[in-house]
């Protein structure tokens, strides 16, 4: 890790820790009656409005190929990712979903080894992935090793992890040729566009009168402005600066912040195994990103 890049690694860590806590925000909104695709549209719509104030006024990429890449980024990092993950949470065991989704860095590495010649399977990368994955298991299950299978829910969670892995790899092909702000705006736009057909299957149901509830507008505002607008922009920036694989490995930190926020907000205690898992995750991330 070069000294000049330390600030970008810190930004990646902060971004992932924020994302880890958004599970609580989404859970509160689901409890108030919002559907997963409704939450996604609102958070991305808020983010899209915000980014227009700082984004360049150009509308399209340089080529049709680039524009198609932006469409794929909007699907894998936006509509398809959030729909599969949130519906997995609705029908599956939360522990299963959390663990499977956090395999995204491992899937990213496997895809990179397959399709990117610049990525090699070093000893540190392998050991780091093993340690971090084991740590994720300890933190997510928090000492309660009751793994119950739900084929559909587990498949949706795995689809979400694969979406994020593909998103991270695709980002590499545009990160060095476009500004992170422009890329992020395109992700928001195509995420919103590609989720619209889903409303033909499940029309909007949430009544507008409930948006006056502080828990609803407060959590939506946080998800839209901080977790989406700010964090997606920062994520695009750090991928541009330090690469898809090092950045993706920080996703392993996600369960740590989820457990901490759950302990603070929902009074769900951490067990000694969860603390051990957190240490393993930190060790795994360190090894994976160590030159």
């Amino acid at each position: 890790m070069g000294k000049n890049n330390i600030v970008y690694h810190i930004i990646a860590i902060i971004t992932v820790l924020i994302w880890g806590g958004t599970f609580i925000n989404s859970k509160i909104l689901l409890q108030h009656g919002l559907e997963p695709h409704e939450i996604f549209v609102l958070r991305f719509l808020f983010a899209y409005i915000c980014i227009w104030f700082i984004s360049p006024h150009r509308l399209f990429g340089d080529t049709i190929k680039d524009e198609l890449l932006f469409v794929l980024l909007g699907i894998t990092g936006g509509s398809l990712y959030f729909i599969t993950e949130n519906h997995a949470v609705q029908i599956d065991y939360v522990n299963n979903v959390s663990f499977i989704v956090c395999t995204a860095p491992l899937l990213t590495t496997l895809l990179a080894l397959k399709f990117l010649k610049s990525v090699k399977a070093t000893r540190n990368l392998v050991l780091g992935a093993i340690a971090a994955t084991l740590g994720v298991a300890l933190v997510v299950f928090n000492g309660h090793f009751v793994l119950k299978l739900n084929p559909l829910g587990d498949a949706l969670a795995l689809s979400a992890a694969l979406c994020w892995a593909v998103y991270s790899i695709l980002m590499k092909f545009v990160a060095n040729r476009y500004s992170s702000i422009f890329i992020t705006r395109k992700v928001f736009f195509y995420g919103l566009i590609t989720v619209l057909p889903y409303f033909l299957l499940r029309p909007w149901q949430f009544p507008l009168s409930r948006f006056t509830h502080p828990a609803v507008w407060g959590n939506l505002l946080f998800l839209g402005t901080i977790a989406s607008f700010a964090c997606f922009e920062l994520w695009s920036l750090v991928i541009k600066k330090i690469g898809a694989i090092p950045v993706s490995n920080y996703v392993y930190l996600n369960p740590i912040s989820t457990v901490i926020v759950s302990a603070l907000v929902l009074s769900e205690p951490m067990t000694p195994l969860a603390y051990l898992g957190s240490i393993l995750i930190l060790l795994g991330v360190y090894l994976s990103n160590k030159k």
Side-chain angles (χ1 to χ4, degrees), residues 57-289:
H57 294 295
R58 65 181 299 183
L59 296 178
F60 302 105
D62 294 331
T63 65
I64 294 178
K65 180 181 177 181
D66 287 350
E67 200 65 25
L68 291 175
L69 278 175
F70 290 133
V71 174
L72 290 175
L73 286 169
I75 293 172
T76 56
S79 56
L80 187 58
Y81 170 79
F82 281 101
I83 287 176
T84 52
E85 181 187 52
N86 289 335
H87 278 295
V89 170
Q90 280 193 324
I91 67 175
D92 201 355
Y93 302 96
V94 174
N95 286 350
N96 291 26
V97 177
S98 300
F99 177 69
I100 294 172
V101 169
C102 282
T103 62
L106 181 59
L107 295 175
T108 304
T109 301
L110 293 176
L111 290 177
L113 291 172
K114 177 68 174 178
F115 297 106
L116 302 179
K117 295 181 179 180
S118 60
V119 179
K120 305 297 181 183
T122 64
R123 183 182 65 176
N124 282 342
L125 190 62
V126 174
L127 291 177
I130 294 173
T133 302
L134 178 59
V136 168
L138 293 177
V139 171
V140 167
F141 294 101
N142 206 12
H144 303 288
F145 293 95
V146 184
L147 182 61
K148 299 180 181 179
L149 297 180
N150 183 322
L152 178 57
D154 293 345
L156 287 170
L158 183 60
S159 297
L162 183 59
C163 280
W164 194 256
V166 173
Y167 174 80
S168 299
I169 298 297
L170 291 177
M171 187 66 73
K172 178 181 176 64
F173 295 100
V174 296
N176 294 327
R177 294 185 292 112
Y178 297 94
S179 71
S180 57
I181 296 175
F182 179 74
I183 294 171
T184 305
R185 197 193 80 207
K186 300 295 282 187
V187 170
F188 291 155
F189 175 75
Y190 283 118
L192 288 169
I193 292 298
T194 54
V195 80
L196 293 180
Y198 192 75
F199 281 88
L200 297 176
L201 299 175
R202 304 190 67 174
W204 186 281
Q205 296 181 349
F206 191 74
L208 297 179
S209 59
R210 294 189 189 177
F211 282 111
T212 58
H213 197 291
V216 173
W217 64 259
N219 282 284
L220 283 174
L221 191 62
F222 176 81
L223 289 176
T225 58
I226 305 299
S228 294
F229 166 59
C231 287
F232 269 78
E233 159 61 14
L234 293 174
W235 195 253
S236 299
L237 175 65
V238 293
I239 286 180
K240 182 185 184 75
K241 296 295 183 180
I242 60 180
I245 300 302
V247 172
S248 179
N249 285 326
Y250 285 119
V251 174
Y252 285 123
L253 299 174
N254 200 308
I256 296 179
S257 59
T258 300
V259 170
I260 292 174
V261 174
S262 296
L264 294 175
V265 178
L266 304 178
S267 300
E268 297 178 357
M270 285 182 66
T271 67
L273 281 178
Y275 286 107
L276 175 61
S278 300
I279 294 173
L280 283 174
I281 291 173
L282 295 175
L283 175 63
V285 171
Y286 170 74
L287 288 174
S288 298
N289 289 347

